[in-house]
Amino acid sequence: MDFSLSEEHLMIQEAARDFAQNELLPGVIERDDNQQFPAEQVKKMGELGFLGMMVDPKYLGSGMDTMSYVIAMEELSKVDASSSVIVSVNNSLVCYGLETYGTEEQKEKYLKRLASGEIIGAFCLSEPEAGSDATSQKTTAIDKGNHYVINGTKNWITNGNTASVYLVIAQTDREKGHKGINALIVEKGMPGFEIGPKENKLGIRGSDTHSLIFNDVKVPKENRIGEDGFGFKFAMKTLSGGRIGIAAQALGIAAGAYELALKYSKERKAFGTEISNHQAIAFKLADMHTQIQAARHLVYKAAWDKDQGNNYDLSGAMAKLYASQVAMETTVEAVQIHGGNGFVKDYHVERLMRDAKITQIYEGTSEIQKIVISRSILRD
Ligand code: CAA
C-alpha cells in the first residue's frame, strides 16, 4: 500500500491548482452573483484537456486515469464548484458513457468533439416526478422503425442551455418497466427540442441548469446507446462513476473552505491573540482536517477501484455520501470561524457553503447513496 501520489498525479494537482487560482478565482464572486456561465474558463479547460480527462487520446481525450480526474476535480472545486460540475458532467457522465457504451460512429461523431472541449454535453435523466425514483420515467421515446420520437420534460439539467449534445433517458416500452428504457443522443437544434427556463439556484449559480422540453423530437436509431432496453442500466452504470466525480467535488469544496478558515484563523486577532490560539477555533480546525482527510481516502479508494477494474458502486456511493456530508459540515464551520466576515461574499466561504448543499442532492441524494450502500452490504 502506498499513500503517496505519483509524480504524474502531483503534476496534475499543480496544474489544476494553478488554473483554479489564475483562471477560476478572478470573477468567481461576480459569476455567482450574476448566474453567469464560465464560458471563457470552460474553453480554456477544454484546451488544457480537463474536459475529456479519461478519454483515450484516439478520441482526443487526455488518456489519464480516474485518480488524475479526482485530483483535478478537488483542486478546481476548492475555488469554483460551478466550473467543476461542468467538468464532472462532461467527463464522467457524457464522455465516459459514450466511450464505454457508444458505437464507433457515435464516438467519431460526438465523443471527439466532447473530449476535446469543442462542445460540452448534458446528461438528462431527472424529471419532475422521476428524481430519486429514476425508473418512473414519463418521457417517452417511441420506436418508429428507423427513428424514435421523444416527448416529455427533463428537469434540473446541468449544462442545459450550453450543451450541444444531450444523452436523454426515456421510456420506449412501459410494459417492460426499466427494461423498456432507452438512452438516446439528442443534438441541440433538433426540431421540437426546446430549452426551458433557467433555474435560479441556491448554489453553483454559475452553472447553467435548465428544464428541457421534447415535442415530437425525431432521433435516428443510430443515436441509441447500447441495445434496445439498455437505457436504465446505462444511466445507473454511468452514474456510479459520476458519483466519484461529485464526491471529489464535495471534497474540494470542503478543503477549499478549510484552507480559507485556517489562513483566516492565523491572521484574525481577538482577545489579544490570533483566533487560532483559542481552543474553540483550533478544535474546529482539527475536526475539519480529520474529516477532510477521511473523505479524501474514500474518494481515492473509489477512484482506485475504478482504475483497477473493480466494482465501484459501493466505494463510489460511500465516497459521495461521506464527502458531501463533510462538505456541508466543514463549510458551515468555515463560515463560523470567519464570524461576521464569513457572512459576506468577499470571503468566499458563504459561497462554498451554498455550493456544498447540492453535493448531497445531485447524482443521487444522500438517501439514495444509503440505499446503494445498504443493498450492497446486505447482498454480500
Ligand atoms: N449498475 C448496473 N445496473 C444497475 C445498477 C448499477 N449501478 N443499479 C441498479 N441497476 C439495475 C438493477 O440490477 C436492476 O436490473 P435487473 O432488474 O435486471 O436486476 C435495475 O437496474 C433496476 O434497479 P433497482 O431494482 O435497484 O431499481 P430501483 O427502482 O430500486 O432504484 C436506485 C434504484 C439506485 C434507487 C436508482 O433509481 C437511483 O440511482 N436513483 C437515483 C437517480 C440519480 O442518481 N439521479 C441523478 C440525476 S443525474 C444528475 O444529477 C446529473 C447532473 O446533471 C449533475
Side-chain angles (χ1 to χ4, degrees):
M1 192 177 290
D2 184 357
F3 282 97
S4 54
L5 295 182
S6 69
E7 279 293 310
E8 197 191 340
H9 289 145
L10 287 169
M11 275 169 55
I12 290 157
Q13 188 173 53
E14 200 183 323
R17 193 172 290 164
D18 285 351
F19 184 83
Q21 287 302 321
N22 299 328
E23 305 286 346
L24 297 182
L25 188 58
V28 67
I29 294 173
E30 292 73 21
R31 292 195 299 276
D32 173 75
D33 265 353
N34 303 328
Q35 300 194 78
Q36 185 193 334
F37 184 80
E40 261 176 54
Q41 291 76 2
V42 169
K43 187 166 175 286
K44 286 185 185 159
M45 287 194 288
E47 287 159 7
L48 289 169
F50 285 126
L51 293 180
M53 289 192 74
M54 296 167 288
V55 175
D56 191 319
K58 80 175 175 189
Y59 300 116
L60 308 184
S62 305
M64 293 178 189
D65 57 9
T66 316
M67 274 300 290
S68 306
Y69 169 57
V70 297
I71 288 166
M73 275 298 294
E74 178 181 345
E75 294 305 321
L76 301 175
S77 307
K78 280 181 184 176
V79 174
D80 185 4
S82 292
S83 292
S84 73
V85 69
I86 300 160
V87 173
S88 181
V89 167
N90 205 66
N91 272 283
S92 44
L93 298 183
V94 181
C95 287
Y96 174 82
L98 280 172
E99 186 172 26
T100 312
Y101 303 107
T103 62
E104 210 42 50
E105 292 70 32
Q106 291 168 351
K107 292 179 201 179
E108 283 296 323
K109 189 169 176 190
Y110 300 111
L111 180 59
K112 282 184 167 176
R113 297 175 68 206
L114 288 159
S116 63
E118 185 193 328
I119 56 171
I120 57 170
F123 183 83
C124 316
L125 173 68
S126 304
E127 296 187 356
E129 290 170 62
S132 292
D133 184 7
T135 57
S136 293
Q137 293 289 309
K138 297 267 189 306
T139 299
T140 52
I142 303 304
D143 189 338
K144 298 280 185 186
N146 65 351
H147 65 271
Y148 289 94
V149 174
I150 308 184
N151 276 291
T153 303
K154 293 288 172 184
N155 267 39
W156 312 294
I157 303 302
T158 304
N159 302 338
N161 190 31
T162 41
S164 299
V165 168
Y166 300 76
L167 308 187
V168 178
I169 314 298
Q171 189 83 48
T172 295
D173 187 342
R174 202 163 296 289
E175 281 183 10
K176 290 189 184 159
H178 71 78
K179 293 191 169 91
I181 290 175
N182 279 309
L184 303 173
I185 305 168
V186 176
E187 293 178 30
K188 185 183 238 159
M190 282 181 164
F193 176 29
E194 280 172 43
I195 315 292
K198 181 170 174 153
E199 301 293 352
N200 185 1
K201 309 191 297 282
L202 170 76
I204 56 161
R205 288 170 56 82
S207 86
D208 171 40
T209 311
H210 287 256
S211 54
L212 304 175
I213 302 131
F214 301 85
N215 280 315
D216 289 332
V217 180
K218 250 173 99 170
V219 180
K221 260 235 169 111
E222 64 258 26
N223 280 24
R224 189 183 70 212
I225 303 173
E227 293 297 306
D228 183 31
F230 179 65
F232 189 73
K233 292 226 168 149
F234 167 80
M236 289 296 108
K237 284 170 181 279
T238 306
L239 275 168
S240 282
R243 288 166 185 166
I244 302 176
I246 299 303
Q249 181 189 45
L251 168 63
I253 294 171
Y258 163 76
E259 286 173 14
L260 290 170
L262 182 67
K263 183 167 177 288
Y264 184 83
S265 74
K266 292 192 213 167
E267 291 165 0
R268 171 79 178 178
K269 287 191 175 155
F271 305 102
T273 183
E274 289 78 15
I275 59 170
S276 58
N277 291 327
H278 298 300
Q279 203 175 60
I281 300 297
F283 277 16
K284 281 190 197 299
L285 292 166
D287 283 339
M288 290 157 91
H289 184 68
T290 306
Q291 289 170 348
I292 289 166
Q293 195 55 30
R296 191 174 285 118
H297 286 156
L298 283 174
V299 172
Y300 284 7
K301 171 63 168 55
W304 181 84
D305 275 340
K306 186 157 177 282
D307 286 335
Q308 297 299 310
N310 300 338
N311 185 300
Y312 48 89
D313 296 343
L314 173 62
S315 53
M318 291 197 300
K320 182 179 182 293
L321 174 67
Y322 186 69
S324 60
Q325 181 187 320
V326 169
M328 205 61 249
E329 289 172 10
T330 303
T331 53
V332 168
E333 288 295 59
V335 171
Q336 192 69 16
I337 290 171
H338 280 75
N341 283 329
F343 208 63
V344 296
K345 297 201 172 193
D346 296 353
Y347 286 80
H348 297 284
V349 284
E350 65 80 34
R351 187 186 70 258
L352 291 165
M353 183 182 89
R354 288 185 286 106
D355 288 349
K357 186 61 204 168
I358 192 60
T359 66
Q360 294 185 307
I361 297 173
Y362 58 18
E363 301 206 20
T365 60
S366 295
E367 292 72 17
I368 290 294
Q369 305 314 319
K370 287 182 191 180
I371 291 179
V372 174
I373 295 164
S374 59
R375 282 184 184 173
S376 173
I377 56 181
L378 291 168
R379 188 175 54 231
D380 293 344

